[in-house]
Amino acid sequence: MVENKIEQRRNSLVWMENISKKFGTITALQGVNFGVKKGEVRALVGDNGAGKSTLIKVLMGVHKPTTGQIYFNGNPVSINSPKEAREIGIEAVYQDLALVNLMSISRNFFLGREMEKKVGPMGFLDIKAMDTICRKSLHEIGIEIRSAAERVGSLSGGERQSIAIGRGVYFGAKVLILDEPTSALSVAETRKVLSYIENARERQLAVIFITHNVHHVYMVADSYTIIRQGRCVGTYLKGELSEDDIADLITGDREE
């Protein structure tokens, strides 16, 4: 088993303690403890509606917790918006990826952070610089693209995931949240995305891998937290349970 709560808070880059969230009379989360260490892939596993997305939205500042505290590097923090989360180094890659299909790879890579060059009093997008940096940065983390000028709409699902992951790494993410990154991908594309996750771990990022796919958890995660009906079932190190055990804990066919 993993360390106790005090040890986890001390050793985690991000630690969420006793997190509860109510929406009126509905309790979406109840007393959840969850964290991830630097250089660790922590899977957040649960069925649809288990509370995974709500927990991550609390971490990203989309929802304010009803009770509980978030710690970053051992210090209590208050995160009130996704912008504040990004400023301290927490980056989320959601299922919809927030990419613009009609724009180029490099424009999507720098979306909201575009580089400019001055010509007299006028400012213009520095497309050449963005193309060069985008291609180089993706190459450095093992992602090869045909052209930074290619439209994102022409890319496959796995390629789109790689752009979103590369963007987070380049802009200094310390914690990378991946929301169902292998959903609806082919076997070959899934392997590529899982390799990008392993690359992020090797670069000492803390990776939160949200999924309901037990097999993918087993392939790359160092540890996994199972959540069911808004409650934390438990947190386990790699190899402590079989894939069948994890599936049973997710569905409630087995109780700890």
Side-chain angles (χ1 to χ4, degrees):
M1 287 288 289
V2 297
E3 310 110 318
N4 62 41
K5 187 166 66 176
I6 295 174
E7 290 172 329
Q8 287 194 81
R9 182 202 300 171
R10 183 174 63 245
N11 295 331
S12 296
L13 181 58
V14 165
W15 175 248
M16 306 176 73
E17 186 167 305
N18 196 33
I19 299 295
S20 296
K21 179 60 186 176
K22 291 186 177 182
F23 297 98
T25 59
I26 304 298
T27 300
L29 296 171
Q30 187 166 342
V32 175
N33 296 312
F34 177 76
V36 62
K37 300 176 183 177
K38 182 179 179 182
E40 176 190 30
V41 177
R42 168 69 63 88
L44 178 59
V45 191
D47 218 337
N48 292 333
K52 304 187 301 295
S53 294
T54 302
L55 184 65
I56 291 309
K57 286 178 179 178
V58 169
L59 179 56
M60 288 300 298
V62 176
H63 298 319
K64 192 169 185 64
T66 305
T67 64
Q69 178 64 56
I70 299 173
Y71 296 85
F72 191 84
N73 245 345
N75 300 311
V77 293
S78 178
I79 303 174
N80 300 301
S81 69
K83 182 176 182 292
E84 290 185 9
R86 286 193 295 269
E87 285 173 351
I88 66 172
I90 304 173
E91 190 83 30
V93 178
Y94 297 106
Q95 281 179 283
D96 60 14
L97 301 177
L99 299 177
V100 182
N101 286 339
L102 295 179
M103 296 174 82
S104 70
I105 293 173
S106 64
R107 286 294 306 278
N108 275 278
F109 191 86
F110 283 93
L111 196 62
R113 298 159 166 147
E114 288 83 358
M115 299 177 67
E116 291 189 348
K117 60 182 177 181
K118 291 287 186 180
V119 179
M122 303 291 289
F124 298 90
L125 290 178
D126 195 340
I127 300 295
K128 183 177 180 181
M130 289 193 292
D131 283 354
T132 300
I133 292 172
C134 172
R135 190 178 186 88
K136 180 181 178 183
S137 300
L138 292 174
H139 172 75
E140 286 177 353
I141 61 173
I143 299 170
E144 302 297 339
I145 58 175
R146 293 175 289 273
S147 168
E150 186 175 358
R151 286 186 178 183
V152 158
S154 67
L155 302 179
S156 67
E159 289 171 328
R160 290 164 62 87
Q161 281 285 351
S162 74
I163 303 307
I165 293 170
R167 180 173 63 189
V169 173
Y170 174 75
F171 283 103
K174 298 174 183 175
V175 180
L176 191 60
I177 302 168
L178 304 176
D179 182 14
E180 298 281 0
T182 58
S183 178
L185 296 185
S186 68
V187 173
E189 289 200 311
T190 293
R191 287 175 179 165
K192 285 184 180 179
V193 170
L194 295 179
S195 75
Y196 302 149
I197 294 173
E198 291 173 334
N199 187 289
R201 172 174 52 204
E202 290 169 4
R203 296 171 70 90
Q204 290 299 294
L205 272 70
V207 180
I208 298 173
F209 179 12
I210 306 169
T211 186
H212 62 271
N213 190 307
V214 176
H215 182 58
H216 295 166
V217 167
Y218 239 66
M219 291 175 72
V220 296
D222 301 298
S223 57
Y224 31 88
T225 295
I226 300 169
I227 188 169
R228 186 174 71 242
Q229 297 179 347
R231 295 174 179 267
C232 182
V233 175
T235 297
Y236 307 87
L237 296 175
K238 185 180 183 73
E240 286 189 318
L241 299 175
S242 69
E243 291 187 35
D244 287 341
D245 289 336
I246 298 172
D248 288 344
L249 287 169
I250 290 172
T251 59
D253 290 339
R254 166 180 165 168
E255 297 289 344
E256 276 297 282

